Amino acid sequence: QVQLVESGGGLVQAGGSLRLSCAASGRTFSNYAMGWFRQAPGKEREFVAAISRSGGSTIYGDSVKGRSTISRDNAKNTVYLQMNSLKPEDTAVYYCAATASWVIATTPIQYNYWGQGTQVAVSS
């Protein structure tokens, strides 16, 4: 089992920035590719970003591309999501997920473990 705990969410004004963190425990962190998803009320869970096991490869969803950066620190068992130029439409619960896949995964079904989520609210 892998346990994931997100932090760093909150209320921010449009144009502001947030850095989300996800701390992992339970298994060897570097054996898992990691991803961030988000879900707004009444909407499906949406892919935000993902990073490979080593951190050498990343991919972003169209809605955050150019405004967000995913990174990981395998020594600290933590993955991060830096979000800049936030917009009201970025408001959602953000989830961290882990997959044992050798390739970067962009759909929720490919992920084995999920955190409880952290709320991000962006005011206009």
Side-chain angles (χ1 to χ4, degrees), residues 84-104:
N84 303 320
S85 302
L86 284 162
K87 306 174 182 179
E89 50 263 46
D90 292 318
T91 295
V93 177
Y94 283 71
Y95 296 92
C96 167
T99 175
S101 170
W102 282 99
V103 299
I104 296 179

Side-chain angles (χ1 to χ4, degrees), residues 40-109:
K43 295 189 177 181
E44 293 187 353
R45 195 160 293 193
E46 177 189 14
F47 171 72
V48 175
I51 189 166
S52 62
R53 296 182 178 200
S54 67
S57 297
T58 58
I59 190 169
Y60 297 90
D62 289 341
S63 60
V64 302
K65 197 174 296 182
R67 301 188 294 122
S68 297
T69 302
I70 187 172
S71 60
R72 67 188 295 163
D73 185 338
N74 285 348
K76 295 183 177 180
N77 293 347
T78 302
V79 62
Y80 306 96
L81 181 68
Q82 176 69 43
M83 300 189 294
N84 303 320
S85 302
L86 284 162
K87 306 174 182 179
E89 50 263 46
D90 292 318
T91 295
V93 177
Y94 283 71
Y95 296 92
C96 167
T99 175
S101 170
W102 282 99
V103 299
I104 296 179
T106 61
T107 59
I109 197 172

